[in-house]
Amino acid sequence: MNSFKRTMTAVGTAVALAAVGALTAPAAHAAPGAAPAARQAALTSDPETKSLEVTVGDASIRQRTDKTFVVHIEGGENATPYRVDVRRAGTDKIVAVVDSLKYYSDYDEEMGYGTRHWYVGDKQPLVLADMTDYELDVYARDYKGNELPRRNAGRSTYAIDARVEAKSSRQEFSLDAIDTQVTGTVTAIHPRTGERLPLAGARVRATLGEGWADGVSDAQGKFTTTVAALGTEKALTHTVALASGDTEVSVTAPSTIRAQQGILTLTSTAPLTARYGTGVPVLGKLSRRADDGTIKPAAGQSVAAAGAGKGQATAGPDGSYTLLPPIFRTGSVNVSVATSSWLMGDGTRTATVAKVTHTTKVVEDKVVSTDKYGSLTLGAKITVDGITSQQAPVEIQFRTTSGQWITKTSLAVPYNKPFTVKVLPSRWYSATGWRVYTPGTKNIGPSTGTKVLLQNRAGTQISGERFAPLQAVKGKQLSVSAVLRTSTPEGLVPYAGQKVRYYFRPDGSTVWKEMGTSVSGAYGAVNMKFTAQTSGYWRIRFVDADANHLISMGREGRIEVIG
C-alpha cells in the first residue's frame, strides 16, 4: 500500500465550473466598488460594443495574511459584479452574502496599459459556521445594465492549514493494471475555533499521469476515489490534493510503468499507388502480450509511419489501425510501434509505394526571344501525369552571381499546354541565368526545369564618364566623354564603331533632350564637344544596339554654366 503525506494551505483559486440552473437577480441596488464610471460610460456609448464579449469572472474564497477570508472575483469581460452569494457546496442554502465589492486593477498610468482587473469583498470578511467547501454565485451587470447571474462561478475550501494523508492500492502500472484506489483523510484548522478537525465536504482530487478523479470527504474527513491513467503517458506522477484549494506542495507517490511487448502486423502487403501529397491507407493490427501471457488488442496505443510517407495512427478497440501518411515519392513506408512507455516495439513492417501519380515535369523550356532592353520571352510546358482541373503555379526565377535563385515573376498556366511569358531584367541583381519552376500544390508535385536559360545578347557598359569643365563659361566649349565596352567570355572589351547619343537636361527640368551623336573609336572611346548655354545635366546612352547586344546608360554629370 502506497502512502501519501502532505501539508497544504486550503485557500484558493476557484475551479471554474459550468453554469448549472438559472438564477434570478436580486433587487437592484448601488454597486459599491463598481468599475470606474468613465469606463462604464465609454462602453455604453461605443457603437462597437454590440460585438463585445461579455463574461462574468471566476470567483473564489481567499485567505489573507491575517487568516481572514474574503471573496475574490476575476474581472471577466465587460461585466461588473455587484453581489456574491456563498452556498454550502452541493446545496441551495445561502450562508453569506457579500454585496460590497472593491475594484482593483494592475493598470499602469505611466505605461498606459494593464493586464488584468479583479474585485474583492474587503469590507465583508467571511466568518462561516462550518469548515467545508462552498460554491459561489455571482450577480453582475453588463455595460448596458443587463443582469448577468452566474451560478457556480467557483468552489473553494474554507479552512486553514489543511493536511491530507492518503494511501494508494497500486504502485506499478501496466495496460492491464491501469487504475488504483486512493483512500485517506483530510484535516484542517477551523478558522473560528482554531481547532484541528476532520475536514468534511472537501473535494479531493487524485491524479495519475493525465487521468484524474475526485472524491468528497465525509463527516470524519475520510475520502475514497479510484483514478486511472490514460495509458499514453511517457511517465506517471501520482498526486492527491484538495481540488478547491491553493496548495504550495502536492502530495506525491512513486509510480512506475511496466511495459508490455507489442505485436505488430501489416495487412497492406500489395504495392501501393498514391496521388502526390495524398494519404494512402496502410492497414494492420497492433496487439500486446498481456500480464497473464495472453494476446490482447493494444487499443489506444499508436503506430508510426516513416520513409516515403510519415504519419501516426491509434489502434482501435480490436487493435486495428489505419495509417494515412501523405505520399510524396516512391519507396518504402516503414511502420513501427510509436515510442511508448507502455508498449515495447516489435521491429519494422514495410509497405511499398510503387507509383506516385500527379507528379510534374518542366519540358520544352527555352528562350523564345529577347530585346535590346534585356527583357526575355521564355517558353515552357508543365506536364502532369494525372487528370486535374487545376492550373499549374509557375515561378520564373533568375540566378544571382552568388548562386541564389530569386523569383522574378509568378503566373498560373494550364497543365500540359505550352506557354510563354515575358520577364524584365532585375534592377537590383545581375542575372547569370534563368529557369522555370513550379512549386506544385497540396496534391500535385513540384518540379524545376533542368535547363539554365541564358540571355543571348551581350551586355554593354558605358564607363569612365568625364564632364568638363565642371564650370563652363557661357558661349565657350564643353566636352562629354566616356568609353563603351561590351561583354565577352574573356570579360569587358572596347566596343568600337558604335553610335552613342548625348542627352542634356537643364536644371529644374525632368525632360532629356538629344544633343548629338558620335561613333566609338578603336578603343571604345566616345567624345563630343558642345557650346555652353545653360547649367544642367549631361548623359551618354548606347541605345542603337544590334540583335546581339543590349543597350546601356552612362551616369549623369552636371556642368555649371556662368557668365
Side-chain angles (χ1 to χ4, degrees), residues 287-552:
S287 304
R288 60 185 175 87
R289 190 173 299 280
D291 293 345
D292 61 5
T294 61
I295 305 302
K296 294 182 179 180
Q301 299 300 301
S302 297
V303 295
K310 297 180 180 180
Q312 192 157 316
T314 301
D318 63 350
S320 62
Y321 64 84
T322 301
L323 284 158
L324 287 169
I327 302 299
F328 299 97
R329 60 177 177 84
T330 58
S332 297
V333 176
N334 303 314
V335 181
S336 61
V337 177
T339 303
S340 170
S341 299
W342 299 81
L343 204 63
M344 291 184 285
D346 186 31
T348 299
R349 308 293 184 269
T350 299
T352 301
V353 179
K355 179 175 176 58
V356 179
T357 67
H358 292 81
T359 57
T360 60
K361 286 184 180 179
V362 177
V363 298
E364 301 177 17
D365 41 335
K366 60 189 176 183
V367 177
V368 177
S369 64
T370 62
D371 63 25
K372 64 181 182 179
Y373 301 103
S375 298
L376 299 91
T377 298
L378 305 180
K381 182 166 71 174
I382 312 297
T383 63
V384 59
D385 64 341
I387 298 173
T388 180
S389 60
Q390 299 179 46
Q391 287 200 313
V394 175
E395 296 179 13
I396 306 301
Q397 299 178 328
F398 67 89
R399 185 179 59 193
T400 66
T401 53
S402 65
Q404 180 185 7
W405 287 96
I406 297 176
T407 297
K408 186 65 172 64
T409 190
S410 301
L411 66 156
V413 301
Y415 282 104
N416 301 317
K417 290 185 179 180
F419 68 90
T420 59
V421 57
K422 184 176 182 179
V423 289
L424 303 175
S426 171
R427 294 177 58 189
W428 315 110
Y429 297 93
S430 176
T432 62
W434 296 80
R435 73 179 183 186
V436 180
Y437 166 68
T438 174
T441 65
K442 289 182 179 180
N443 56 11
I444 297 180
S447 58
T448 304
T450 58
K451 298 177 184 177
V452 176
L453 307 176
L454 302 175
Q455 169 63 264
N456 54 25
R457 290 176 179 250
T460 60
Q461 181 188 87
I462 296 172
S463 60
E465 296 94 328
R466 293 187 61 195
F467 309 93
L470 295 180
Q471 194 176 67
V473 177
K474 186 173 183 178
K476 300 294 184 179
Q477 281 193 334
L478 58 83
S479 67
V480 179
S481 61
V483 176
L484 178 64
R485 294 182 174 87
T486 185
S487 296
T488 69
E490 290 75 33
L492 286 171
V493 298
Y495 194 17
Q498 302 303 310
K499 181 169 71 174
V500 299
R501 299 175 185 267
Y502 298 81
Y503 292 84
F504 175 70
R505 174 173 64 81
D507 285 351
S509 174
T510 59
V511 178
W512 290 93
K513 180 181 178 182
E514 185 176 338
M515 304 298 292
T517 63
S518 72
V519 175
S520 57
Y523 297 101
V526 294
N527 179 66
M528 194 167 186
K529 299 182 184 298
F530 302 92
T531 301
Q533 297 293 335
T534 186
S535 299
Y537 295 84
W538 293 85
R539 190 176 197 178
I540 302 174
R541 297 178 180 175
F542 172 57
V543 294
D544 299 287
D546 60 20
N548 297 316
H549 289 83
L550 298 171
I551 69 168
S552 56

Side-chain angles (χ1 to χ4, degrees), residues 264-293:
L264 180 67
T265 60
L266 186 69
T267 56
S268 298
T269 56
L272 303 173
T273 297
R275 177 171 177 159
Y276 178 91
T278 302
V280 59
V282 178
L283 286 70
K285 195 166 187 177
L286 181 61
S287 304
R288 60 185 175 87
R289 190 173 299 280
D291 293 345
D292 61 5

Side-chain angles (χ1 to χ4, degrees), residues 78-127:
N78 304 307
T80 302
Y82 62 86
R83 170 175 162 167
V84 177
D85 287 354
V86 181
R87 289 183 293 103
R88 183 155 183 159
T91 75
D92 290 326
K93 182 182 179 181
I94 297 173
V95 298
V97 174
V98 178
D99 56 7
S100 178
L101 299 170
K102 187 175 180 180
Y103 176 83
Y104 290 89
S105 167
D106 67 354
Y107 182 81
D108 188 318
E109 292 187 2
E110 213 173 292
M111 300 296 292
Y113 70 89
T115 58
R116 59 181 286 259
H117 62 281
W118 61 96
Y119 300 82
V120 179
D122 286 333
K123 295 182 179 179
Q124 295 174 300
L126 295 175
V127 180

